[in-house]
Amino acid sequence: MKSHKSDDTPHQEQLFIDPLIHVPTRFRILSNLYLVGWVDFLFLRNLTGLTKGNLSSHLIKLEEAGYVLIKKEFVNKISRTTISLSDSGREAFNLYRKNMKIMLDEIPE
Amino acid sequence: MNAEKELKKARQNLYRTMTMDGIADISIGMIFISLGGFVYIDSYGALFIAIIAMLAPLTAILRKKIVDPRIGSYDADSFLQEYDVDPRFTYFGIAFLILGVAVGLMVALGVSIPAFIGDGALIIVGLLVAIAISMFGSYTGIKRLYLYATTLLVLFIHGALQNYPTADGMDIVRKALGAHILIFGATILLSGTVICYKFLQEYPIAENSENEIS
């Protein structure tokens, strides 16, 4: 039987849910970066409540995917790591939000 | 996972983290105390303006010296710039604007406020401002804003019940208004000082290595 939905309506099976973002901890990290231009590593740790090692490993994965930009710098001779969302990371995050919303809307109440 | 709900939680967490040092409360409290002092005394205007003008750079220095070494720093300039503003704030802003224009026109045209509104006008204004502060508290998840809203509403109701003379006794009205603003400012300042003290106790200065990815 043919579907009644038009072809331009996204179906659940067509929606791409990025597995890299779908991990709750990574979503939390990306949410915070989405809301602020950049944060330093310490501030992000306080926001997410993650340990240093845990946050580092997630950030490295996100950096490898090109979703975050990690910059190491010296401010008044003190080293600091700043993290920001890249353009492709912002795009991927917005797509994830959009697709998740469509998926949740399609679930019958 | 509901992405929008999680994003809302992240936004509230961000607001709470950004204000958990109490410095914003101390600054806002100082602004109200300065304003209240000026209204009450009705002189030394330049001094009160100077205090208010000094607060912004002082806050920035305090954040850099006290807060950043403890919890890290963030780009305040771009905070929430891409995030949708809650439409309720727009509606409330428009309502305040209409109210302000209406009151302004009535004063300019010499139209007297109807007695049934006049009696409760102070309470209505207090209620509106308290609702606006509470809404911001709900939006940001900063619970102490409810305390500030309640304090403000109580002060407005107290002011409305005093039946100050309006024609002959403007000095009494001015002093009463100044005292109310001073009490409101002192409440915020006290709250901010307690929060700041707790923050300093809870968050020691982080070691340099804590701000580096491992």
Side-chain angles (χ1 to χ4, degrees):
Chain A
M1 205 170 89
K2 219 175 170 183
S3 171
H4 289 288
K5 285 181 178 176
S6 65
D7 286 337
D8 56 352
T9 307
H11 301 281
Q12 277 195 30
E13 58 269 25
Q14 293 173 332
L15 296 173
F16 173 64
I17 300 297
D18 193 331
L20 201 70
I21 302 177
H22 200 55
V23 175
T25 310
R26 271 182 230 137
F27 181 83
R28 209 188 320 161
I29 294 167
L30 291 171
S31 297
N32 284 302
L33 295 175
Y34 181 77
L35 297 169
V36 195
W38 59 260
V39 289
D40 68 16
F41 186 72
L42 183 61
F43 194 76
L44 192 57
R45 269 184 66 193
N46 277 303
L47 283 176
T48 56
L50 297 171
T51 61
K52 191 178 171 182
N54 200 356
L55 178 59
S56 296
S57 68
H58 284 299
L59 282 176
I60 288 164
K61 278 183 187 145
L62 290 167
E63 189 189 29
E64 282 169 358
Y67 288 178
V68 300
L69 303 167
I70 299 172
K71 200 166 81 178
K72 289 177 185 179
E73 59 189 2
F74 282 88
V75 180
N76 297 329
K77 294 180 184 172
I78 297 168
S79 66
R80 182 175 75 167
T81 308
T82 57
I83 305 117
S84 61
L85 201 60
S86 68
D87 289 342
S88 62
R90 191 168 293 276
E91 208 173 287
F93 188 79
N94 276 327
L95 181 69
Y96 176 85
R97 278 178 71 192
K98 188 180 144 201
N99 288 349
M100 280 300 286
K101 194 174 183 310
I102 294 167
M103 269 189 80
L104 288 173
D105 287 347
E106 284 192 358
I107 295 171
E109 284 182 28
Chain B
M1 183 169 64
N2 187 330
E4 297 312 303
K5 274 190 183 171
E6 292 300 318
L7 198 56
K8 184 185 168 189
K9 274 191 210 168
R11 186 194 68 214
Q12 291 191 331
N13 183 40
L14 196 53
Y15 269 115
R16 280 195 298 269
T17 308
M18 287 163 70
T19 55
M20 70 180 178
D21 49 57
I23 289 175
D25 302 66
I26 292 171
S27 297
I28 293 168
M30 284 299 292
I31 289 171
F32 277 105
I33 286 176
S34 301
L35 185 70
F38 172 62
V39 173
Y40 190 86
I41 299 169
D42 199 21
S43 61
Y44 300 111
L47 177 69
F48 294 121
I49 290 168
I51 292 172
I52 291 170
M54 268 166 44
L55 283 172
L58 196 67
T59 302
I61 292 168
L62 284 175
R63 279 197 195 288
K64 203 172 176 184
K65 297 281 179 196
I66 296 174
V67 182
D68 291 358
R70 286 176 163 80
I71 62 163
S73 54
Y74 59 93
D75 180 16
D77 295 339
S78 64
F79 173 58
L80 295 181
Q81 68 177 5
E82 289 195 38
Y83 198 74
D84 305 330
V85 174
D86 192 322
R88 288 177 302 174
F89 290 114
T90 313
Y91 303 144
F92 227 84
I94 292 168
F96 268 111
L97 195 69
I98 292 170
L99 192 72
V101 170
V103 172
L105 279 174
M106 287 174 90
V107 171
L109 299 172
V111 179
S112 59
I113 299 169
F116 72 97
I117 297 175
D119 293 343
L122 210 53
I123 296 173
I124 293 168
V125 172
L127 196 62
L128 283 172
V129 179
I131 289 171
I133 296 172
S134 302
M135 274 170 61
F136 194 62
S138 156
Y139 179 74
T140 57
I142 303 170
K143 296 206 168 45
R144 60 183 181 273
L145 289 177
Y146 298 124
L147 167 76
Y148 301 161
T150 309
T151 308
L152 190 82
L153 184 60
V154 168
L155 289 169
F156 266 94
I157 292 171
H158 179 262
L161 295 176
Q162 296 305 304
N163 285 324
Y164 294 116
T166 50
D168 305 321
M170 280 313 287
D171 197 47
I172 300 170
V173 176
R174 182 181 51 72
K175 284 204 168 180
L177 178 67
H180 282 77
I181 298 171
L182 273 169
I183 294 169
F184 184 58
T187 307
I188 300 174
L189 179 67
L190 186 68
S191 162
T193 308
V194 171
I195 291 162
C196 188
Y197 177 76
K198 281 185 179 174
F199 171 78
L200 294 175
Q201 298 290 310
E202 201 174 332
Y203 292 91
I205 292 174
E207 288 178 23
N208 291 343
S209 60
E210 293 297 303
N211 209 355
E212 284 174 14
I213 199 161
S214 57

PDB file of all heavy atoms in Angstrom, chain B residues 11-39:
ATOM      1  N   ARG B  11      20.670  25.810  29.319  1.00  0.00           N
ATOM      2  CA  ARG B  11      20.580  27.270  29.395  1.00  0.00           C
ATOM      3  C   ARG B  11      20.431  27.727  30.843  1.00  0.00           C
ATOM      4  O   ARG B  11      21.109  28.653  31.296  1.00  0.00           O
ATOM      5  CB  ARG B  11      19.378  27.747  28.562  1.00  0.00           C
ATOM      6  CG  ARG B  11      19.270  29.253  28.463  1.00  0.00           C
ATOM      7  CD  ARG B  11      17.906  29.660  27.947  1.00  0.00           C
ATOM      8  NE  ARG B  11      16.875  29.358  28.921  1.00  0.00           N
ATOM      9  CZ  ARG B  11      15.636  28.979  28.623  1.00  0.00           C
ATOM     10  NH1 ARG B  11      15.283  28.815  27.385  1.00  0.00           N
ATOM     11  NH2 ARG B  11      14.754  28.738  29.569  1.00  0.00           N
ATOM     12  N   GLN B  12      19.552  27.037  31.589  1.00  0.00           N
ATOM     13  CA  GLN B  12      19.332  27.415  32.990  1.00  0.00           C
ATOM     14  C   GLN B  12      20.587  27.160  33.817  1.00  0.00           C
ATOM     15  O   GLN B  12      20.936  27.955  34.690  1.00  0.00           O
ATOM     16  CB  GLN B  12      18.141  26.647  33.552  1.00  0.00           C
ATOM     17  CG  GLN B  12      16.822  27.098  32.920  1.00  0.00           C
ATOM     18  CD  GLN B  12      15.603  26.548  33.628  1.00  0.00           C
ATOM     19  OE1 GLN B  12      15.649  25.479  34.215  1.00  0.00           O
ATOM     20  NE2 GLN B  12      14.498  27.263  33.560  1.00  0.00           N
ATOM     21  N   ASN B  13      21.253  26.041  33.514  1.00  0.00           N
ATOM     22  CA  ASN B  13      22.488  25.716  34.231  1.00  0.00           C
ATOM     23  C   ASN B  13      23.561  26.780  33.973  1.00  0.00           C
ATOM     24  O   ASN B  13      24.296  27.173  34.874  1.00  0.00           O
ATOM     25  CB  ASN B  13      22.977  24.332  33.779  1.00  0.00           C
ATOM     26  CG  ASN B  13      24.205  23.893  34.524  1.00  0.00           C
ATOM     27  OD1 ASN B  13      24.335  24.109  35.725  1.00  0.00           O
ATOM     28  ND2 ASN B  13      25.132  23.282  33.817  1.00  0.00           N
ATOM     29  N   LEU B  14      23.583  27.255  32.737  1.00  0.00           N
ATOM     30  CA  LEU B  14      24.539  28.291  32.359  1.00  0.00           C
ATOM     31  C   LEU B  14      24.257  29.593  33.115  1.00  0.00           C
ATOM     32  O   LEU B  14      25.176  30.219  33.658  1.00  0.00           O
ATOM     33  CB  LEU B  14      24.427  28.517  30.843  1.00  0.00           C
ATOM     34  CG  LEU B  14      25.548  29.258  30.134  1.00  0.00           C
ATOM     35  CD1 LEU B  14      26.892  28.634  30.428  1.00  0.00           C
ATOM     36  CD2 LEU B  14      25.308  29.246  28.638  1.00  0.00           C
ATOM     37  N   TYR B  15      22.999  29.975  33.178  1.00  0.00           N
ATOM     38  CA  TYR B  15      22.618  31.186  33.924  1.00  0.00           C
ATOM     39  C   TYR B  15      23.010  31.055  35.401  1.00  0.00           C
ATOM     40  O   TYR B  15      23.549  31.989  36.000  1.00  0.00           O
ATOM     41  CB  TYR B  15      21.104  31.421  33.841  1.00  0.00           C
ATOM     42  CG  TYR B  15      20.661  32.291  32.688  1.00  0.00           C
ATOM     43  CD1 TYR B  15      19.870  31.776  31.683  1.00  0.00           C
ATOM     44  CD2 TYR B  15      21.020  33.631  32.620  1.00  0.00           C
ATOM     45  CE1 TYR B  15      19.442  32.564  30.625  1.00  0.00           C
ATOM     46  CE2 TYR B  15      20.614  34.427  31.569  1.00  0.00           C
ATOM     47  CZ  TYR B  15      19.816  33.892  30.573  1.00  0.00           C
ATOM     48  OH  TYR B  15      19.410  34.681  29.533  1.00  0.00           O
ATOM     49  N   ARG B  16      22.722  29.886  35.963  1.00  0.00           N
ATOM     50  CA  ARG B  16      23.031  29.688  37.391  1.00  0.00           C
ATOM     51  C   ARG B  16      24.541  29.753  37.626  1.00  0.00           C
ATOM     52  O   ARG B  16      24.999  30.360  38.588  1.00  0.00           O
ATOM     53  CB  ARG B  16      22.471  28.341  37.873  1.00  0.00           C
ATOM     54  CG  ARG B  16      20.984  28.373  38.173  1.00  0.00           C
ATOM     55  CD  ARG B  16      20.573  27.157  38.978  1.00  0.00           C
ATOM     56  NE  ARG B  16      20.818  25.918  38.248  1.00  0.00           N
ATOM     57  CZ  ARG B  16      19.922  25.330  37.456  1.00  0.00           C
ATOM     58  NH1 ARG B  16      18.737  25.847  37.301  1.00  0.00           N
ATOM     59  NH2 ARG B  16      20.206  24.206  36.840  1.00  0.00           N
ATOM     60  N   THR B  17      25.297  29.107  36.730  1.00  0.00           N
ATOM     61  CA  THR B  17      26.754  29.090  36.893  1.00  0.00           C
ATOM     62  C   THR B  17      27.333  30.501  36.760  1.00  0.00           C
ATOM     63  O   THR B  17      28.233  30.889  37.491  1.00  0.00           O
ATOM     64  CB  THR B  17      27.396  28.147  35.839  1.00  0.00           C
ATOM     65  OG1 THR B  17      26.741  26.884  35.919  1.00  0.00           O
ATOM     66  CG2 THR B  17      28.883  27.955  36.085  1.00  0.00           C
ATOM     67  N   MET B  18      26.779  31.262  35.815  1.00  0.00           N
ATOM     68  CA  MET B  18      27.284  32.612  35.584  1.00  0.00           C
ATOM     69  C   MET B  18      26.968  33.570  36.728  1.00  0.00           C
ATOM     70  O   MET B  18      27.613  34.606  36.868  1.00  0.00           O
ATOM     71  CB  MET B  18      26.686  33.168  34.285  1.00  0.00           C
ATOM     72  CG  MET B  18      27.271  32.529  33.049  1.00  0.00           C
ATOM     73  SD  MET B  18      26.256  32.803  31.601  1.00  0.00           S
ATOM     74  CE  MET B  18      26.479  34.504  31.307  1.00  0.00           C
ATOM     75  N   THR B  19      25.957  33.235  37.524  1.00  0.00           N
ATOM     76  CA  THR B  19      25.555  34.163  38.598  1.00  0.00           C
ATOM     77  C   THR B  19      25.808  33.590  39.996  1.00  0.00           C
ATOM     78  O   THR B  19      25.385  34.186  40.978  1.00  0.00           O
ATOM     79  CB  THR B  19      24.063  34.534  38.473  1.00  0.00           C
ATOM     80  OG1 THR B  19      23.292  33.326  38.448  1.00  0.00           O
ATOM     81  CG2 THR B  19      23.779  35.321  37.219  1.00  0.00           C
ATOM     82  N   MET B  20      26.481  32.427  40.060  1.00  0.00           N
ATOM     83  CA  MET B  20      26.637  31.799  41.378  1.00  0.00           C
ATOM     84  C   MET B  20      27.692  32.475  42.247  1.00  0.00           C
ATOM     85  O   MET B  20      27.862  32.120  43.400  1.00  0.00           O
ATOM     86  CB  MET B  20      26.946  30.306  41.233  1.00  0.00           C
ATOM     87  CG  MET B  20      28.284  29.962  40.701  1.00  0.00           C
ATOM     88  SD  MET B  20      28.398  28.162  40.614  1.00  0.00           S
ATOM     89  CE  MET B  20      30.009  27.950  39.915  1.00  0.00           C
ATOM     90  N   ASP B  21      28.406  33.461  41.689  1.00  0.00           N
ATOM     91  CA  ASP B  21      29.399  34.181  42.495  1.00  0.00           C
ATOM     92  C   ASP B  21      28.765  35.342  43.272  1.00  0.00           C
ATOM     93  O   ASP B  21      29.399  35.901  44.154  1.00  0.00           O
ATOM     94  CB  ASP B  21      30.528  34.710  41.598  1.00  0.00           C
ATOM     95  CG  ASP B  21      30.003  35.453  40.381  1.00  0.00           C
ATOM     96  OD1 ASP B  21      29.248  36.419  40.575  1.00  0.00           O
ATOM     97  OD2 ASP B  21      30.331  35.074  39.248  1.00  0.00           O
ATOM     98  N   GLY B  22      27.538  35.705  42.921  1.00  0.00           N
ATOM     99  CA  GLY B  22      26.829  36.769  43.661  1.00  0.00           C
ATOM    100  C   GLY B  22      27.262  38.183  43.311  1.00  0.00           C
ATOM    101  O   GLY B  22      26.704  39.146  43.835  1.00  0.00           O
ATOM    102  N   ILE B  23      28.228  38.314  42.399  1.00  0.00           N
ATOM    103  CA  ILE B  23      28.750  39.657  42.072  1.00  0.00           C
ATOM    104  C   ILE B  23      27.685  40.509  41.368  1.00  0.00           C
ATOM    105  O   ILE B  23      27.567  41.713  41.636  1.00  0.00           O
ATOM    106  CB  ILE B  23      30.052  39.550  41.234  1.00  0.00           C
ATOM    107  CG1 ILE B  23      31.167  39.032  42.153  1.00  0.00           C
ATOM    108  CG2 ILE B  23      30.458  40.889  40.639  1.00  0.00           C
ATOM    109  CD1 ILE B  23      32.478  38.769  41.473  1.00  0.00           C
ATOM    110  N   ALA B  24      26.907  39.868  40.497  1.00  0.00           N
ATOM    111  CA  ALA B  24      25.841  40.616  39.797  1.00  0.00           C
ATOM    112  C   ALA B  24      24.834  41.151  40.812  1.00  0.00           C
ATOM    113  O   ALA B  24      24.376  42.293  40.710  1.00  0.00           O
ATOM    114  CB  ALA B  24      25.149  39.705  38.792  1.00  0.00           C
ATOM    115  N   ASP B  25      24.506  40.335  41.831  1.00  0.00           N
ATOM    116  CA  ASP B  25      23.551  40.762  42.864  1.00  0.00           C
ATOM    117  C   ASP B  25      24.116  41.945  43.646  1.00  0.00           C
ATOM    118  O   ASP B  25      23.398  42.909  43.935  1.00  0.00           O
ATOM    119  CB  ASP B  25      23.256  39.609  43.832  1.00  0.00           C
ATOM    120  CG  ASP B  25      22.696  38.399  43.116  1.00  0.00           C
ATOM    121  OD1 ASP B  25      23.445  37.816  42.316  1.00  0.00           O
ATOM    122  OD2 ASP B  25      21.527  38.061  43.340  1.00  0.00           O
ATOM    123  N   ILE B  26      25.402  41.851  43.985  1.00  0.00           N
ATOM    124  CA  ILE B  26      26.039  42.937  44.744  1.00  0.00           C
ATOM    125  C   ILE B  26      25.986  44.238  43.926  1.00  0.00           C
ATOM    126  O   ILE B  26      25.633  45.298  44.448  1.00  0.00           O
ATOM    127  CB  ILE B  26      27.496  42.564  45.121  1.00  0.00           C
ATOM    128  CG1 ILE B  26      27.486  41.416  46.146  1.00  0.00           C
ATOM    129  CG2 ILE B  26      28.251  43.768  45.685  1.00  0.00           C
ATOM    130  CD1 ILE B  26      28.850  40.812  46.445  1.00  0.00           C
ATOM    131  N   SER B  27      26.297  44.126  42.628  1.00  0.00           N
ATOM    132  CA  SER B  27      26.284  45.318  41.765  1.00  0.00           C
ATOM    133  C   SER B  27      24.886  45.902  41.648  1.00  0.00           C
ATOM    134  O   SER B  27      24.704  47.123  41.779  1.00  0.00           O
ATOM    135  CB  SER B  27      26.785  44.957  40.358  1.00  0.00           C
ATOM    136  OG  SER B  27      28.104  44.544  40.425  1.00  0.00           O
ATOM    137  N   ILE B  28      23.902  45.037  41.394  1.00  0.00           N
ATOM    138  CA  ILE B  28      22.516  45.523  41.236  1.00  0.00           C
ATOM    139  C   ILE B  28      22.022  46.117  42.560  1.00  0.00           C
ATOM    140  O   ILE B  28      21.368  47.165  42.578  1.00  0.00           O
ATOM    141  CB  ILE B  28      21.590  44.393  40.724  1.00  0.00           C
ATOM    142  CG1 ILE B  28      22.001  44.011  39.297  1.00  0.00           C
ATOM    143  CG2 ILE B  28      20.119  44.814  40.752  1.00  0.00           C
ATOM    144  CD1 ILE B  28      21.386  42.735  38.767  1.00  0.00           C
ATOM    145  N   GLY B  29      22.383  45.460  43.670  1.00  0.00           N
ATOM    146  CA  GLY B  29      22.023  45.982  44.991  1.00  0.00           C
ATOM    147  C   GLY B  29      22.606  47.369  45.209  1.00  0.00           C
ATOM    148  O   GLY B  29      21.925  48.276  45.695  1.00  0.00           O
ATOM    149  N   MET B  30      23.862  47.533  44.795  1.00  0.00           N
ATOM    150  CA  MET B  30      24.530  48.846  44.939  1.00  0.00           C
ATOM    151  C   MET B  30      23.843  49.918  44.088  1.00  0.00           C
ATOM    152  O   MET B  30      23.725  51.076  44.505  1.00  0.00           O
ATOM    153  CB  MET B  30      26.008  48.727  44.538  1.00  0.00           C
ATOM    154  CG  MET B  30      26.894  48.047  45.565  1.00  0.00           C
ATOM    155  SD  MET B  30      26.947  48.898  47.136  1.00  0.00           S
ATOM    156  CE  MET B  30      27.825  50.384  46.686  1.00  0.00           C
ATOM    157  N   ILE B  31      23.410  49.515  42.891  1.00  0.00           N
ATOM    158  CA  ILE B  31      22.712  50.475  42.009  1.00  0.00           C
ATOM    159  C   ILE B  31      21.436  50.967  42.692  1.00  0.00           C
ATOM    160  O   ILE B  31      21.172  52.174  42.753  1.00  0.00           O
ATOM    161  CB  ILE B  31      22.395  49.825  40.633  1.00  0.00           C
ATOM    162  CG1 ILE B  31      23.682  49.630  39.837  1.00  0.00           C
ATOM    163  CG2 ILE B  31      21.391  50.691  39.834  1.00  0.00           C
ATOM    164  CD1 ILE B  31      23.540  48.813  38.570  1.00  0.00           C
ATOM    165  N   PHE B  32      20.648  50.024  43.237  1.00  0.00           N
ATOM    166  CA  PHE B  32      19.391  50.416  43.901  1.00  0.00           C
ATOM    167  C   PHE B  32      19.661  51.240  45.156  1.00  0.00           C
ATOM    168  O   PHE B  32      18.937  52.195  45.446  1.00  0.00           O
ATOM    169  CB  PHE B  32      18.540  49.183  44.232  1.00  0.00           C
ATOM    170  CG  PHE B  32      17.721  48.708  43.062  1.00  0.00           C
ATOM    171  CD1 PHE B  32      18.077  47.577  42.363  1.00  0.00           C
ATOM    172  CD2 PHE B  32      16.598  49.411  42.641  1.00  0.00           C
ATOM    173  CE1 PHE B  32      17.339  47.149  41.269  1.00  0.00           C
ATOM    174  CE2 PHE B  32      15.854  48.992  41.550  1.00  0.00           C
ATOM    175  CZ  PHE B  32      16.223  47.852  40.863  1.00  0.00           C
ATOM    176  N   ILE B  33      20.704  50.874  45.904  1.00  0.00           N
ATOM    177  CA  ILE B  33      21.047  51.642  47.114  1.00  0.00           C
ATOM    178  C   ILE B  33      21.455  53.074  46.727  1.00  0.00           C
ATOM    179  O   ILE B  33      21.030  54.046  47.356  1.00  0.00           O
ATOM    180  CB  ILE B  33      22.155  50.928  47.919  1.00  0.00           C
ATOM    181  CG1 ILE B  33      21.554  49.712  48.634  1.00  0.00           C
ATOM    182  CG2 ILE B  33      22.805  51.857  48.934  1.00  0.00           C
ATOM    183  CD1 ILE B  33      22.538  48.855  49.379  1.00  0.00           C
ATOM    184  N   SER B  34      22.251  53.188  45.665  1.00  0.00           N
ATOM    185  CA  SER B  34      22.667  54.520  45.205  1.00  0.00           C
ATOM    186  C   SER B  34      21.465  55.341  44.770  1.00  0.00           C
ATOM    187  O   SER B  34      21.337  56.517  45.124  1.00  0.00           O
ATOM    188  CB  SER B  34      23.648  54.390  44.031  1.00  0.00           C
ATOM    189  OG  SER B  34      24.754  53.655  44.431  1.00  0.00           O
ATOM    190  N   LEU B  35      20.585  54.670  43.987  1.00  0.00           N
ATOM    191  CA  LEU B  35      19.386  55.359  43.497  1.00  0.00           C
ATOM    192  C   LEU B  35      18.473  55.755  44.663  1.00  0.00           C
ATOM    193  O   LEU B  35      17.997  56.901  44.737  1.00  0.00           O
ATOM    194  CB  LEU B  35      18.639  54.429  42.523  1.00  0.00           C
ATOM    195  CG  LEU B  35      17.429  55.015  41.817  1.00  0.00           C
ATOM    196  CD1 LEU B  35      17.863  56.070  40.806  1.00  0.00           C
ATOM    197  CD2 LEU B  35      16.654  53.910  41.083  1.00  0.00           C
ATOM    198  N   GLY B  36      18.274  54.816  45.585  1.00  0.00           N
ATOM    199  CA  GLY B  36      17.424  55.073  46.759  1.00  0.00           C
ATOM    200  C   GLY B  36      17.994  56.185  47.612  1.00  0.00           C
ATOM    201  O   GLY B  36      17.265  57.067  48.085  1.00  0.00           O
ATOM    202  N   GLY B  37      19.319  56.168  47.779  1.00  0.00           N
ATOM    203  CA  GLY B  37      19.999  57.206  48.564  1.00  0.00           C
ATOM    204  C   GLY B  37      19.817  58.574  47.937  1.00  0.00           C
ATOM    205  O   GLY B  37      19.532  59.561  48.614  1.00  0.00           O
ATOM    206  N   PHE B  38      19.940  58.606  46.613  1.00  0.00           N
ATOM    207  CA  PHE B  38      19.779  59.871  45.885  1.00  0.00           C
ATOM    208  C   PHE B  38      18.350  60.404  46.026  1.00  0.00           C
ATOM    209  O   PHE B  38      18.147  61.597  46.315  1.00  0.00           O
ATOM    210  CB  PHE B  38      20.123  59.664  44.404  1.00  0.00           C
ATOM    211  CG  PHE B  38      19.799  60.845  43.542  1.00  0.00           C
ATOM    212  CD1 PHE B  38      20.429  62.070  43.748  1.00  0.00           C
ATOM    213  CD2 PHE B  38      18.861  60.747  42.533  1.00  0.00           C
ATOM    214  CE1 PHE B  38      20.127  63.170  42.963  1.00  0.00           C
ATOM    215  CE2 PHE B  38      18.552  61.843  41.740  1.00  0.00           C
ATOM    216  CZ  PHE B  38      19.187  63.056  41.963  1.00  0.00           C
ATOM    217  N   VAL B  39      17.376  59.517  45.858  1.00  0.00           N
ATOM    218  CA  VAL B  39      15.967  59.933  45.972  1.00  0.00           C
ATOM    219  C   VAL B  39      15.677  60.406  47.400  1.00  0.00           C
ATOM    220  O   VAL B  39      14.999  61.411  47.601  1.00  0.00           O
ATOM    221  CB  VAL B  39      15.017  58.771  45.563  1.00  0.00           C
ATOM    222  CG1 VAL B  39      13.557  59.125  45.841  1.00  0.00           C
ATOM    223  CG2 VAL B  39      15.188  58.441  44.078  1.00  0.00           C
TER     224      VAL B  39
END
